[in-house]
Amino acid sequence: MPAPAQEQKFQRRKEERPAEIMAAGLRIFANKGFAAARLEEVAEAAGVSKATIYLYFDSKADLFAAIVREIATPRFDEMERLLDTYDGPSADLLNFMIGKLKEIATGTELPALAKIILAESSNFPEIREFYRDHVILRGFANLSRVIERGIARGEFRECNVEAAAQEIIFPILMNTLARNTFGELPFFDPDGFFTAHAEFVARGLAADREA
Amino acid sequence: MPAPAQEQKFQRRKEERPAEIMAAGLRIFANKGFAAARLEEVAEAAGVSKATIYLYFDSKADLFAAIVREIATPRFDEMERLLDTYDGPSADLLNFMIGKLKEIATGTELPALAKIILAESSNFPEIREFYRDHVILRGFANLSRVIERGIARGEFRECNVEAAAQEIIFPILMNTLARNTFGELPFFDPDGFFTAHAEFVARGLAADREA
DNA sequence: GTCTATATAACGATAGAC
DNA sequence: GTCTATCGTTATATAGAC
């Protein structure tokens, strides 16, 4: 007699697979880092076989890159859309950017992936290069645009634009990494920090008042 | 007859050993990270046996902690000596501190060790706790003292002191880590950056001029 | 029946154990 | 220093959709 109501061995779900694999990969990478994450485990968490991963991604590094892109791209797109259309005060634009960066820092796993880049990219140059081109450079390009816009409009002082961009993003990133590493020490309290950071940046960039 | 001018199989050099082992350990840790560094290799680089390491250090983590302490302690001592005695403008004191931090960031391996803490301390809580207590908290305590001093003297504005301390140190640390990770991208040029950073911090902290 | 998404199983490099 | 287990990767078999 035939096996009653047998389970299917697998289902074909071409559309959903990549997203499911990326979601599983994100969890595993964020928890274990790049080298220690096993594709077997990713496959299991995604409910597919290891080989299926290779149908959609060329390699482990390619999967990692796809995950980074998935998180970063829509946020940058949104930023750039605003940068292209906004025409109010640069200080407001900057505050919007900082809010967006806060959201990325506290609401996505991108900082965990950044940590992986810091920690392991010497062993895996491919992921470092991808991250540099698609996150670092693109992020800094956007910040630089805001700063240059403010300078051009006389709202911000003349300054080293590259350095100023670092002043905006580095405290946010490092505060996030610190909390991620040392736990929620009162010292690193994010709410107070982000408010103070916005104020600090605004003062650091403000044009001198004419006497 | 006595063996003529025999070479000694080993030499007792109780005084020098710890420093030599720490120097070797620093190189290996900085290159490979904590988990991947093998004490066998440290021993070889220091010209001693693995057992000798255990004569002077309780464990791998203890060796790591000793190295961190060796680098950090004299710098903090010097900072604190100045903080105890200086009585000029707080802006100058802050510039001195930033110069000192730049020196630590660019002239020591402490950033490489900080990277290890970020990357691996979830697997090795002992080294995280040591680093937190002897580097993070002590460093922030000193920065906070400078900021509070400036506020008390009316040179700096009232602000979130913890956040301000992060504004001072995080860009320095992160710029260093970024150069360490991505190589010497022109974007992260340290000379321009440190100059701009000092200016940025000074403006961010400056008391409002009374109208 | 054909096409292809998916699983199973094998391969080769490499790191870790003894 | 050798052996072995593990894991990224690839080749082949099979099952599901149309």
Side-chain angles (χ1 to χ4, degrees):
Chain A
M1 66 182 177
Q6 80 214 25
E7 314 150 14
Q8 299 172 267
K9 204 153 187 182
F10 60 82
Q11 297 193 327
R12 311 184 98 171
R13 308 211 331 275
K14 193 185 192 325
E15 305 303 319
E16 295 82 359
R17 293 293 191 216
E20 291 168 1
I21 293 167
M22 284 193 281
L26 175 57
R27 280 206 310 282
I28 313 277
F29 282 134
N31 280 331
K32 311 247 224 173
F34 186 77
R38 284 174 307 129
L39 288 188
E40 183 70 53
E41 203 178 351
V42 175
E44 191 181 357
V48 300
S49 81
K50 214 164 42 158
T52 299
I53 297 177
Y54 281 87
L55 275 185
Y56 298 102
F57 306 96
D58 291 341
S59 66
K60 194 181 187 181
D62 184 50
L63 172 61
F64 185 88
I67 293 168
V68 170
R69 167 182 275 134
E70 172 90 354
I71 296 178
T73 297
R75 268 93 184 178
F76 281 132
D77 287 347
E78 186 184 354
M79 268 186 201
E80 285 158 19
R81 225 175 301 125
L82 186 78
L83 281 179
D84 289 338
T85 59
Y86 185 79
D87 71 345
S90 296
D92 293 348
L93 191 55
L94 187 59
N95 275 328
F96 171 84
M97 294 279 284
I98 290 176
K100 208 85 201 117
L101 292 170
K102 174 184 178 181
E103 179 194 311
I104 296 173
T106 59
T108 78
E109 298 281 8
L110 201 59
L113 301 182
K115 190 159 148 174
I116 289 175
I117 297 294
L118 286 178
E120 302 190 60
S121 71
S122 55
N123 301 112
F124 305 98
E126 323 91 277
I127 64 176
R128 170 176 57 206
E129 274 148 37
F130 183 90
Y131 198 89
R132 183 193 60 207
D133 295 341
H134 291 79
V135 178
I136 307 279
L137 293 181
R138 191 168 175 194
F140 274 119
N142 287 337
L143 287 173
S144 297
R145 267 184 75 184
V146 176
I147 297 162
E148 278 160 1
R149 176 186 191 274
I151 295 173
R153 291 166 52 112
E155 297 162 317
F156 297 158
R157 67 189 171 88
E158 299 277 349
C159 66
N160 179 330
V161 174
E162 287 82 12
Q166 295 175 62
E167 297 287 339
I168 295 169
I169 184 60
F170 282 168
I172 292 174
L173 178 56
M174 201 61 229
N175 175 273
T176 306
L177 292 178
R179 277 183 293 115
N180 187 296
T181 301
F182 294 106
E184 302 287 332
L185 286 186
F187 201 94
F188 296 131
D189 163 58
D191 288 332
F193 172 76
F194 278 102
T195 305
H197 180 56
E199 171 84 14
F200 211 91
V201 168
R203 288 172 175 261
L205 279 176
D208 292 316
R209 285 179 292 177
E210 301 296 329
Chain B
M1 69 179 175
Q6 80 214 30
E7 313 156 13
Q8 298 170 271
K9 196 153 190 184
F10 58 80
Q11 299 191 327
R12 305 185 72 138
R13 297 191 297 117
K14 193 179 191 323
E15 305 304 320
E16 295 83 358
R17 289 300 189 215
E20 292 167 0
I21 293 168
M22 283 193 282
L26 175 57
R27 279 206 310 282
I28 311 280
F29 281 134
N31 280 331
K32 310 245 221 173
F34 186 78
R38 286 173 309 133
L39 286 189
E40 183 68 52
E41 203 179 352
V42 175
E44 191 181 357
V48 302
S49 80
K50 206 159 62 161
T52 301
I53 295 179
Y54 280 92
L55 198 55
Y56 296 103
F57 305 96
D58 292 340
S59 64
K60 194 178 185 183
D62 184 50
L63 171 60
F64 185 88
I67 293 168
V68 170
R69 167 180 277 135
E70 172 89 355
I71 296 178
T73 298
R75 267 93 183 178
F76 281 132
D77 287 347
E78 186 184 355
M79 269 186 202
E80 285 158 19
R81 224 174 303 124
L82 186 78
L83 282 179
D84 289 339
T85 59
Y86 184 80
D87 71 346
S90 296
D92 294 348
L93 191 54
L94 187 59
N95 274 329
F96 171 84
M97 295 279 283
I98 290 176
K100 209 80 200 124
L101 292 170
K102 173 183 178 181
E103 180 195 311
I104 295 173
T106 59
T108 78
E109 297 281 7
L110 202 58
L113 301 182
K115 189 160 149 173
I116 289 175
I117 297 293
L118 285 178
E120 301 189 60
S121 70
S122 54
N123 302 112
F124 305 98
E126 322 91 274
I127 63 176
R128 169 175 58 205
E129 274 148 36
F130 183 89
Y131 198 89
R132 183 192 61 207
D133 295 341
H134 291 78
V135 178
I136 307 279
L137 293 182
R138 191 170 175 193
F140 275 119
N142 287 337
L143 287 173
S144 297
R145 266 185 74 185
V146 176
I147 297 162
E148 278 160 0
R149 177 186 190 273
I151 295 173
R153 290 166 53 113
E155 297 162 316
F156 296 157
R157 67 189 172 88
E158 299 278 350
C159 65
N160 179 329
V161 174
E162 288 81 13
Q166 295 176 62
E167 297 286 339
I168 295 169
I169 184 61
F170 281 169
I172 293 174
L173 178 57
M174 201 62 230
N175 175 274
T176 306
L177 292 178
R179 278 184 292 114
N180 186 296
T181 301
F182 295 105
E184 303 288 332
L185 286 186
F187 202 94
F188 295 132
D189 163 57
D191 288 332
F193 172 76
F194 278 104
T195 305
H197 180 56
E199 171 82 15
F200 212 90
V201 168
R203 288 171 175 263
L205 279 176
D208 292 315
R209 286 179 291 177
E210 300 296 329

